[in-house]
Amino acid sequence: DHPSATQLMLAIGNRFRTKSFQEEATKQAEALADRKGWTLSELADRTIPSAGFDETGALELSYGLRQFTARLLPDFKIELYNPDGKKITSLPEPRQDDDAELAKDAKKAFSAAKKDLKNIVDLQTDRLYEALCTERDWSFEDWQLYLNQHPVVRHLLQRLIWTQVDDGKVVATFRPLDDGTLTDYEDNEVLLPADARVRIAHDSVLAEEQIAVWQQHLVDYEIAPLFQQMGKGIYSLPQEKASADNIKDFEGYMLEAFALRGRALKLGYTRGATEDGGWFHVYEKRFPTLGLQAVIEFTGNPLPEENRTVALLNLSFSSTGNTTSWQRTSLPLSKVQKVLLSECYNDLRLIASEGTG
């Protein structure tokens, strides 16, 4: 039940090369969620560690009579202050009148906070991107309590544009600020009722003018987007491909195997299972809350990997329970969420751009 243990289990279920480990971790996380009466997504939200920081972003470090303070900044750097409130570069060695054991514990706590902070930021960034792809929404009450008031995650939220949705339609757009309030792109405060549904904004639900003004807002306030949320363009499934189960728009595009690997890993894909002859032919990206994975197929590479010229074949989607190509049953593209389909299509387009066409 320790939050760090729960988050580790979720991380292994989300991004781990060995399939059996992924599946077992997800199974255990689902069992814990079920015991608590939560969904897997709710479990992930409600067990995010804080790396020791309180709701104000402060971590108190006691030397006994002296108290030092670590403060978390919006860019996830940490500033240290001595008992007089002056900034210092590192925790000092204990003095004679300090408690040596408490000072030792304080140094350990500070070191652990820095390590935990990086893990929290990486995992929650992945989770927020998955929430974008899967069109997840939250009640504003839960979003405010578990995310916008969280000492670490709130800084991630501030680098994204959000929408209030009603029956799938956008009612309002906003960005959270460091003081916990919400703003629109004209700097007006946005107030939402507790039962409002909120979702990460995407090109597919915003007008071109809205996309442009929000992009300008981020530039004006020097906000580095958490990931490319807007401006990629939208892929809409053509009517004639409604019954198709894969996309072959980039079939035959040539690139080096290491360029494919580098771009795929950066986009959150992992290498697929090794099959006959020690070759693998796919890169996969899992979306555990949907029980789905996106699968990019190419002409293959042996293990150990060689930087040979390979060709892309297709993009498809299947259940995360299907582990090998002969077991895999691809979903009809019309059954895949529109944002997820658009984002993964753009992944494939970016990978194709690494090669010669």
Side-chain angles (χ1 to χ4, degrees):
D1 279 340
H2 192 284
S4 293
T6 303
Q7 291 291 318
L8 176 62
M9 198 68 67
L10 291 162
I12 292 173
N14 198 29
R15 300 273 185 269
F16 200 80
R17 180 171 290 176
T18 308
K19 285 282 184 181
S20 57
F21 280 40
Q22 279 189 339
E23 290 163 5
E24 181 64 22
T26 300
K27 187 170 114 182
Q28 292 297 333
E30 286 173 340
L32 178 58
D34 189 55
R35 289 198 297 274
K36 292 180 176 294
W38 298 340
T39 65
L40 194 60
S41 294
E42 288 171 338
L43 174 73
D45 287 344
R46 297 173 186 188
T47 59
I48 303 172
S50 67
F53 294 96
D54 65 19
E55 62 277 3
T56 69
L59 170 61
E60 298 299 329
L61 302 163
S62 175
Y63 273 39
L65 294 176
R66 292 196 296 167
Q67 301 288 326
F68 296 85
T69 305
R71 292 204 172 276
L72 181 61
L73 302 180
D75 60 0
F76 303 111
K77 291 178 181 173
I78 302 173
E79 288 183 343
L80 274 173
Y81 293 87
N82 69 14
D84 298 324
K86 292 182 179 178
K87 195 189 299 186
I88 55 176
T89 56
S90 61
L91 286 172
E93 292 301 314
R95 299 185 315 208
Q96 286 245 294
D97 58 345
D98 289 326
D99 185 314
E101 281 302 310
L102 285 178
K104 185 178 175 183
D105 290 344
K107 289 194 172 190
K108 280 185 182 176
F110 184 54
S111 179
K114 289 188 287 187
K115 181 181 175 183
D116 291 347
L117 185 61
K118 184 181 185 309
N119 291 336
I120 294 166
V121 170
D122 289 347
L123 181 57
Q124 299 311 315
T125 298
D126 285 347
R127 286 194 59 240
L128 287 167
Y129 182 70
E130 181 180 347
L132 168 73
C133 291
T134 58
E135 302 173 48
R136 183 188 173 192
D137 59 23
W138 289 259
S139 73
F140 178 65
E141 184 175 34
D142 278 359
W143 180 89
Q144 182 77 353
L145 179 61
Y146 297 112
L147 302 183
N148 200 33
Q149 292 178 3
H150 190 279
V152 180
V153 178
R154 65 192 180 94
H155 296 300
L156 299 175
L157 304 190
Q158 292 160 27
R159 293 165 58 185
L160 293 169
I161 308 307
W162 296 78
T163 63
Q164 178 191 354
V165 292
D166 185 8
D167 197 24
K169 295 180 180 177
V170 174
V171 177
T173 58
F174 62 91
R175 184 175 73 84
L177 301 178
D178 200 40
D179 64 1
T181 63
L182 315 177
T183 183
D184 66 14
Y185 56 79
E186 293 180 323
D187 300 329
N188 299 311
E189 185 176 3
V190 175
L191 299 172
L192 299 181
D195 61 351
R197 307 301 298 183
V198 299
R199 183 183 295 177
I200 301 173
H202 186 261
D203 285 351
S204 60
V205 296
L206 299 179
E208 286 184 19
E209 307 80 51
Q210 288 178 301
I211 295 170
V213 293
W214 273 118
Q215 287 178 317
Q216 188 59 50
H217 170 94
L218 294 175
V219 170
D220 290 345
Y221 286 91
E222 299 181 345
I223 304 295
L226 190 59
F227 43 75
Q228 190 177 358
Q229 171 188 7
M230 298 181 296
K232 280 186 188 176
I234 309 163
Y235 174 78
S236 298
L237 186 65
Q239 186 61 41
E240 64 271 17
K241 292 186 179 179
S243 60
D245 61 7
N246 62 63
I247 291 172
K248 295 186 176 182
D249 291 18
F250 299 95
E251 184 178 26
Y253 275 59
M254 311 289 285
L255 70 164
E256 291 185 343
F258 288 179
L260 167 58
R261 180 182 67 185
R263 176 62 80 168
L265 293 178
K266 191 174 181 181
L267 291 168
Y269 291 77
T270 56
R271 192 179 69 208
T274 307
E275 299 180 14
D276 292 345
W279 284 59
F280 72 99
H281 297 83
V282 300
Y283 283 94
E284 302 163 339
K285 183 192 279 188
R286 289 165 57 88
F287 297 91
T289 54
L290 292 179
L292 289 181
Q293 60 189 358
V295 181
I296 292 177
E297 187 176 1
F298 70 108
T299 49
N301 206 7
L303 292 179
E305 293 184 59
E306 302 170 2
N307 195 24
R308 59 207 312 269
T309 301
V310 298
L312 295 175
L313 295 177
N314 62 64
L315 166 69
S316 62
F317 297 83
S318 67
S319 164
T320 50
N322 295 330
T323 56
T324 58
S325 59
W326 57 269
Q327 285 181 314
R328 188 177 294 121
T329 302
S330 297
L331 288 176
L333 298 176
S334 57
K335 300 289 186 184
V336 179
Q337 281 84 347
K338 291 179 181 178
V339 174
L340 177 58
L341 182 63
S342 183
E343 287 293 304
C344 292
Y345 180 90
N346 278 309
D347 288 345
L348 183 61
R349 179 178 58 80
L350 285 171
I351 289 171
S353 71
E354 293 286 333
T356 57

